[in-house]
PDB file of all heavy atoms in Angstrom:
ATOM      1  N   SER A   1     -22.672  16.408 192.320  1.00 92.00           N
ATOM      2  CA  SER A   1     -22.389  15.293 193.232  1.00 92.00           C
ATOM      3  C   SER A   1     -21.330  15.678 194.253  1.00 92.00           C
ATOM      4  O   SER A   1     -21.469  15.387 195.447  1.00 92.00           O
ATOM      5  CB  SER A   1     -21.924  14.067 192.442  1.00 92.00           C
ATOM      6  OG  SER A   1     -22.930  13.624 191.576  1.00 92.00           O
ATOM      7  N   LEU A   2     -20.291  16.335 193.797  1.00 92.00           N
ATOM      8  CA  LEU A   2     -19.234  16.784 194.723  1.00 92.00           C
ATOM      9  C   LEU A   2     -19.786  17.784 195.725  1.00 92.00           C
ATOM     10  O   LEU A   2     -19.472  17.716 196.917  1.00 92.00           O
ATOM     11  CB  LEU A   2     -18.066  17.390 193.941  1.00 92.00           C
ATOM     12  CG  LEU A   2     -17.212  16.409 193.149  1.00 92.00           C
ATOM     13  CD1 LEU A   2     -16.203  17.166 192.283  1.00 92.00           C
ATOM     14  CD2 LEU A   2     -16.499  15.449 194.080  1.00 92.00           C
ATOM     15  N   SER A   3     -20.613  18.713 195.261  1.00 91.00           N
ATOM     16  CA  SER A   3     -21.205  19.706 196.161  1.00 91.00           C
ATOM     17  C   SER A   3     -22.084  19.040 197.211  1.00 91.00           C
ATOM     18  O   SER A   3     -22.067  19.430 198.375  1.00 91.00           O
ATOM     19  CB  SER A   3     -22.040  20.713 195.372  1.00 91.00           C
ATOM     20  OG  SER A   3     -21.223  21.439 194.494  1.00 91.00           O
ATOM     21  N   ALA A   4     -22.857  18.049 196.822  1.00 90.00           N
ATOM     22  CA  ALA A   4     -23.727  17.346 197.763  1.00 90.00           C
ATOM     23  C   ALA A   4     -22.909  16.617 198.827  1.00 90.00           C
ATOM     24  O   ALA A   4     -23.252  16.657 200.013  1.00 90.00           O
ATOM     25  CB  ALA A   4     -24.627  16.375 197.023  1.00 90.00           C
ATOM     26  N   MET A   5     -21.832  15.965 198.417  1.00 89.00           N
ATOM     27  CA  MET A   5     -20.997  15.241 199.386  1.00 89.00           C
ATOM     28  C   MET A   5     -20.358  16.217 200.367  1.00 89.00           C
ATOM     29  O   MET A   5     -20.338  15.965 201.575  1.00 89.00           O
ATOM     30  CB  MET A   5     -19.924  14.431 198.668  1.00 89.00           C
ATOM     31  CG  MET A   5     -20.471  13.224 197.945  1.00 89.00           C
ATOM     32  SD  MET A   5     -19.254  12.075 197.260  1.00 89.00           S
ATOM     33  CE  MET A   5     -17.936  13.067 196.713  1.00 89.00           C
ATOM     34  N   ILE A   6     -19.859  17.320 199.884  1.00 90.00           N
ATOM     35  CA  ILE A   6     -19.236  18.313 200.758  1.00 90.00           C
ATOM     36  C   ILE A   6     -20.283  18.895 201.699  1.00 90.00           C
ATOM     37  O   ILE A   6     -20.034  19.081 202.886  1.00 90.00           O
ATOM     38  CB  ILE A   6     -18.549  19.406 199.920  1.00 90.00           C
ATOM     39  CG1 ILE A   6     -17.321  18.814 199.224  1.00 90.00           C
ATOM     40  CG2 ILE A   6     -18.162  20.599 200.783  1.00 90.00           C
ATOM     41  CD1 ILE A   6     -16.678  19.722 198.191  1.00 90.00           C
ATOM     42  N   GLY A   7     -21.490  19.164 201.186  1.00 87.00           N
ATOM     43  CA  GLY A   7     -22.570  19.703 202.010  1.00 87.00           C
ATOM     44  C   GLY A   7     -22.933  18.807 203.168  1.00 87.00           C
ATOM     45  O   GLY A   7     -23.166  19.270 204.278  1.00 87.00           O
ATOM     46  N   VAL A   8     -22.974  17.501 202.934  1.00 85.00           N
ATOM     47  CA  VAL A   8     -23.302  16.542 203.997  1.00 85.00           C
ATOM     48  C   VAL A   8     -22.261  16.616 205.107  1.00 85.00           C
ATOM     49  O   VAL A   8     -22.604  16.643 206.295  1.00 85.00           O
ATOM     50  CB  VAL A   8     -23.400  15.109 203.425  1.00 85.00           C
ATOM     51  CG1 VAL A   8     -23.418  14.074 204.528  1.00 85.00           C
ATOM     52  CG2 VAL A   8     -24.624  14.974 202.541  1.00 85.00           C
ATOM     53  N   PHE A   9     -20.993  16.697 204.756  1.00 86.00           N
ATOM     54  CA  PHE A   9     -19.939  16.775 205.767  1.00 86.00           C
ATOM     55  C   PHE A   9     -19.999  18.090 206.536  1.00 86.00           C
ATOM     56  O   PHE A   9     -19.833  18.114 207.754  1.00 86.00           O
ATOM     57  CB  PHE A   9     -18.558  16.603 205.134  1.00 86.00           C
ATOM     58  CG  PHE A   9     -18.309  15.202 204.648  1.00 86.00           C
ATOM     59  CD1 PHE A   9     -18.057  14.954 203.312  1.00 86.00           C
ATOM     60  CD2 PHE A   9     -18.340  14.124 205.517  1.00 86.00           C
ATOM     61  CE1 PHE A   9     -17.836  13.670 202.856  1.00 86.00           C
ATOM     62  CE2 PHE A   9     -18.114  12.836 205.079  1.00 86.00           C
ATOM     63  CZ  PHE A   9     -17.861  12.604 203.738  1.00 86.00           C
ATOM     64  N   VAL A  10     -20.275  19.195 205.860  1.00 85.00           N
ATOM     65  CA  VAL A  10     -20.343  20.497 206.515  1.00 85.00           C
ATOM     66  C   VAL A  10     -21.518  20.551 207.489  1.00 85.00           C
ATOM     67  O   VAL A  10     -21.378  21.007 208.618  1.00 85.00           O
ATOM     68  CB  VAL A  10     -20.430  21.635 205.466  1.00 85.00           C
ATOM     69  CG1 VAL A  10     -20.778  22.957 206.115  1.00 85.00           C
ATOM     70  CG2 VAL A  10     -19.133  21.744 204.694  1.00 85.00           C
ATOM     71  N   VAL A  11     -22.691  20.069 207.068  1.00 82.00           N
ATOM     72  CA  VAL A  11     -23.864  20.078 207.940  1.00 82.00           C
ATOM     73  C   VAL A  11     -23.624  19.190 209.161  1.00 82.00           C
ATOM     74  O   VAL A  11     -23.955  19.560 210.289  1.00 82.00           O
ATOM     75  CB  VAL A  11     -25.131  19.629 207.167  1.00 82.00           C
ATOM     76  CG1 VAL A  11     -26.286  19.359 208.104  1.00 82.00           C
ATOM     77  CG2 VAL A  11     -25.508  20.675 206.136  1.00 82.00           C
ATOM     78  N   GLY A  12     -23.021  18.028 208.961  1.00 82.00           N
ATOM     79  CA  GLY A  12     -22.712  17.137 210.088  1.00 82.00           C
ATOM     80  C   GLY A  12     -21.736  17.774 211.059  1.00 82.00           C
ATOM     81  O   GLY A  12     -21.906  17.682 212.274  1.00 82.00           O
ATOM     82  N   ALA A  13     -20.722  18.442 210.536  1.00 86.00           N
ATOM     83  CA  ALA A  13     -19.735  19.097 211.398  1.00 86.00           C
ATOM     84  C   ALA A  13     -20.377  20.246 212.171  1.00 86.00           C
ATOM     85  O   ALA A  13     -20.084  20.451 213.351  1.00 86.00           O
ATOM     86  CB  ALA A  13     -18.562  19.604 210.566  1.00 86.00           C
ATOM     87  N   LEU A  14     -21.273  20.983 211.537  1.00 86.00           N
ATOM     88  CA  LEU A  14     -21.953  22.088 212.206  1.00 86.00           C
ATOM     89  C   LEU A  14     -22.834  21.562 213.340  1.00 86.00           C
ATOM     90  O   LEU A  14     -22.840  22.118 214.440  1.00 86.00           O
ATOM     91  CB  LEU A  14     -22.795  22.872 211.197  1.00 86.00           C
ATOM     92  CG  LEU A  14     -23.556  24.068 211.744  1.00 86.00           C
ATOM     93  CD1 LEU A  14     -22.598  25.100 212.329  1.00 86.00           C
ATOM     94  CD2 LEU A  14     -24.402  24.695 210.654  1.00 86.00           C
ATOM     95  N   LYS A  15     -23.563  20.488 213.101  1.00 86.00           N
ATOM     96  CA  LYS A  15     -24.424  19.902 214.139  1.00 86.00           C
ATOM     97  C   LYS A  15     -23.575  19.444 215.325  1.00 86.00           C
ATOM     98  O   LYS A  15     -23.912  19.718 216.472  1.00 86.00           O
ATOM     99  CB  LYS A  15     -25.217  18.731 213.570  1.00 86.00           C
ATOM    100  CG  LYS A  15     -26.138  18.087 214.572  1.00 86.00           C
ATOM    101  CD  LYS A  15     -26.911  16.929 213.986  1.00 86.00           C
ATOM    102  CE  LYS A  15     -27.772  16.257 215.034  1.00 86.00           C
ATOM    103  NZ  LYS A  15     -28.460  15.088 214.528  1.00 86.00           N
ATOM    104  N   ASN A  16     -22.473  18.750 215.043  1.00 88.00           N
ATOM    105  CA  ASN A  16     -21.598  18.274 216.121  1.00 88.00           C
ATOM    106  C   ASN A  16     -20.993  19.431 216.899  1.00 88.00           C
ATOM    107  O   ASN A  16     -20.842  19.342 218.122  1.00 88.00           O
ATOM    108  CB  ASN A  16     -20.503  17.374 215.559  1.00 88.00           C
ATOM    109  CG  ASN A  16     -21.032  16.027 215.123  1.00 88.00           C
ATOM    110  OD1 ASN A  16     -22.102  15.600 215.546  1.00 88.00           O
ATOM    111  ND2 ASN A  16     -20.295  15.354 214.249  1.00 88.00           N
ATOM    112  N   SER A  17     -20.636  20.511 216.232  1.00 92.00           N
ATOM    113  CA  SER A  17     -20.037  21.647 216.937  1.00 92.00           C
ATOM    114  C   SER A  17     -21.057  22.312 217.856  1.00 92.00           C
ATOM    115  O   SER A  17     -20.714  22.752 218.952  1.00 92.00           O
ATOM    116  CB  SER A  17     -19.448  22.655 215.955  1.00 92.00           C
ATOM    117  OG  SER A  17     -20.455  23.351 215.264  1.00 92.00           O
ATOM    118  N   LYS A  18     -22.323  22.385 217.441  1.00 92.00           N
ATOM    119  CA  LYS A  18     -23.356  22.964 218.302  1.00 92.00           C
ATOM    120  C   LYS A  18     -23.592  22.096 219.531  1.00 92.00           C
ATOM    121  O   LYS A  18     -23.791  22.606 220.634  1.00 92.00           O
ATOM    122  CB  LYS A  18     -24.667  23.146 217.528  1.00 92.00           C
ATOM    123  CG  LYS A  18     -24.643  24.332 216.593  1.00 92.00           C
ATOM    124  CD  LYS A  18     -25.995  24.527 215.947  1.00 92.00           C
ATOM    125  CE  LYS A  18     -26.025  25.792 215.111  1.00 92.00           C
ATOM    126  NZ  LYS A  18     -27.364  26.061 214.584  1.00 92.00           N
ATOM    127  N   ILE A  19     -23.562  20.786 219.354  1.00 92.00           N
ATOM    128  CA  ILE A  19     -23.735  19.876 220.498  1.00 92.00           C
ATOM    129  C   ILE A  19     -22.584  20.051 221.484  1.00 92.00           C
ATOM    130  O   ILE A  19     -22.797  20.152 222.697  1.00 92.00           O
ATOM    131  CB  ILE A  19     -23.862  18.416 220.021  1.00 92.00           C
ATOM    132  CG1 ILE A  19     -25.195  18.218 219.288  1.00 92.00           C
ATOM    133  CG2 ILE A  19     -23.733  17.438 221.189  1.00 92.00           C
ATOM    134  CD1 ILE A  19     -25.328  16.887 218.570  1.00 92.00           C
ATOM    135  N   LYS A  20     -21.360  20.105 220.976  1.00 94.00           N
ATOM    136  CA  LYS A  20     -20.190  20.293 221.860  1.00 94.00           C
ATOM    137  C   LYS A  20     -20.262  21.633 222.581  1.00 94.00           C
ATOM    138  O   LYS A  20     -19.939  21.732 223.764  1.00 94.00           O
ATOM    139  CB  LYS A  20     -18.889  20.200 221.058  1.00 94.00           C
ATOM    140  CG  LYS A  20     -18.587  18.825 220.541  1.00 94.00           C
ATOM    141  CD  LYS A  20     -18.225  17.906 221.671  1.00 94.00           C
ATOM    142  CE  LYS A  20     -17.864  16.543 221.117  1.00 94.00           C
ATOM    143  NZ  LYS A  20     -17.859  15.535 222.150  1.00 94.00           N
ATOM    144  N   GLN A  21     -20.688  22.676 221.864  1.00 94.00           N
ATOM    145  CA  GLN A  21     -20.823  23.997 222.477  1.00 94.00           C
ATOM    146  C   GLN A  21     -21.860  23.958 223.593  1.00 94.00           C
ATOM    147  O   GLN A  21     -21.635  24.502 224.674  1.00 94.00           O
ATOM    148  CB  GLN A  21     -21.213  25.041 221.425  1.00 94.00           C
ATOM    149  CG  GLN A  21     -21.392  26.427 222.002  1.00 94.00           C
ATOM    150  CD  GLN A  21     -21.876  27.436 220.976  1.00 94.00           C
ATOM    151  OE1 GLN A  21     -22.013  27.131 219.798  1.00 94.00           O
ATOM    152  NE2 GLN A  21     -22.140  28.638 221.423  1.00 94.00           N
ATOM    153  N   ALA A  22     -22.992  23.312 223.364  1.00 93.00           N
ATOM    154  CA  ALA A  22     -24.039  23.216 224.388  1.00 93.00           C
ATOM    155  C   ALA A  22     -23.535  22.435 225.603  1.00 93.00           C
ATOM    156  O   ALA A  22     -23.799  22.831 226.749  1.00 93.00           O
ATOM    157  CB  ALA A  22     -25.291  22.560 223.815  1.00 93.00           C
ATOM    158  N   GLU A  23     -22.818  21.344 225.371  1.00 93.00           N
ATOM    159  CA  GLU A  23     -22.267  20.566 226.492  1.00 93.00           C
ATOM    160  C   GLU A  23     -21.333  21.424 227.337  1.00 93.00           C
ATOM    161  O   GLU A  23     -21.399  21.407 228.571  1.00 93.00           O
ATOM    162  CB  GLU A  23     -21.520  19.338 225.968  1.00 93.00           C
ATOM    163  CG  GLU A  23     -22.423  18.265 225.402  1.00 93.00           C
ATOM    164  CD  GLU A  23     -21.651  17.153 224.701  1.00 93.00           C
ATOM    165  OE1 GLU A  23     -20.433  17.306 224.442  1.00 93.00           O
ATOM    166  OE2 GLU A  23     -22.281  16.116 224.385  1.00 93.00           O
ATOM    167  N   THR A  24     -20.481  22.188 226.677  1.00 94.00           N
ATOM    168  CA  THR A  24     -19.541  23.051 227.386  1.00 94.00           C
ATOM    169  C   THR A  24     -20.270  24.123 228.175  1.00 94.00           C
ATOM    170  O   THR A  24     -19.953  24.381 229.346  1.00 94.00           O
ATOM    171  CB  THR A  24     -18.567  23.705 226.380  1.00 94.00           C
ATOM    172  OG1 THR A  24     -17.868  22.677 225.681  1.00 94.00           O
ATOM    173  CG2 THR A  24     -17.576  24.607 227.072  1.00 94.00           C
ATOM    174  N   GLU A  25     -21.260  24.762 227.564  1.00 94.00           N
ATOM    175  CA  GLU A  25     -21.986  25.834 228.246  1.00 94.00           C
ATOM    176  C   GLU A  25     -22.827  25.305 229.405  1.00 94.00           C
ATOM    177  O   GLU A  25     -22.899  25.947 230.457  1.00 94.00           O
ATOM    178  CB  GLU A  25     -22.862  26.596 227.251  1.00 94.00           C
ATOM    179  CG  GLU A  25     -22.048  27.456 226.305  1.00 94.00           C
ATOM    180  CD  GLU A  25     -22.888  28.184 225.269  1.00 94.00           C
ATOM    181  OE1 GLU A  25     -24.125  27.979 225.222  1.00 94.00           O
ATOM    182  OE2 GLU A  25     -22.301  28.957 224.496  1.00 94.00           O
ATOM    183  N   VAL A  26     -23.450  24.150 229.243  1.00 94.00           N
ATOM    184  CA  VAL A  26     -24.228  23.570 230.341  1.00 94.00           C
ATOM    185  C   VAL A  26     -23.309  23.284 231.529  1.00 94.00           C
ATOM    186  O   VAL A  26     -23.642  23.603 232.677  1.00 94.00           O
ATOM    187  CB  VAL A  26     -24.983  22.290 229.887  1.00 94.00           C
ATOM    188  CG1 VAL A  26     -25.457  21.473 231.069  1.00 94.00           C
ATOM    189  CG2 VAL A  26     -26.165  22.664 228.999  1.00 94.00           C
TER     190      VAL A  26
END
């Protein structure tokens, strides 16, 4: 359960960082 909760936060943070990177590069 702890691993699943941490995984959700990590995946969400990774998605947000890619979006921010794309915005900056565009």
Side-chain angles (χ1 to χ4, degrees):
S1 298
L2 289 173
S3 296
M5 288 188 324
I6 290 171
V8 167
F9 290 119
V10 169
V11 168
L14 181 61
K15 181 180 177 184
N16 288 340
S17 71
K18 284 185 174 185
I19 291 170
K20 291 290 183 196
Q21 179 184 356
E23 289 171 348
T24 301
E25 288 178 356
V26 164

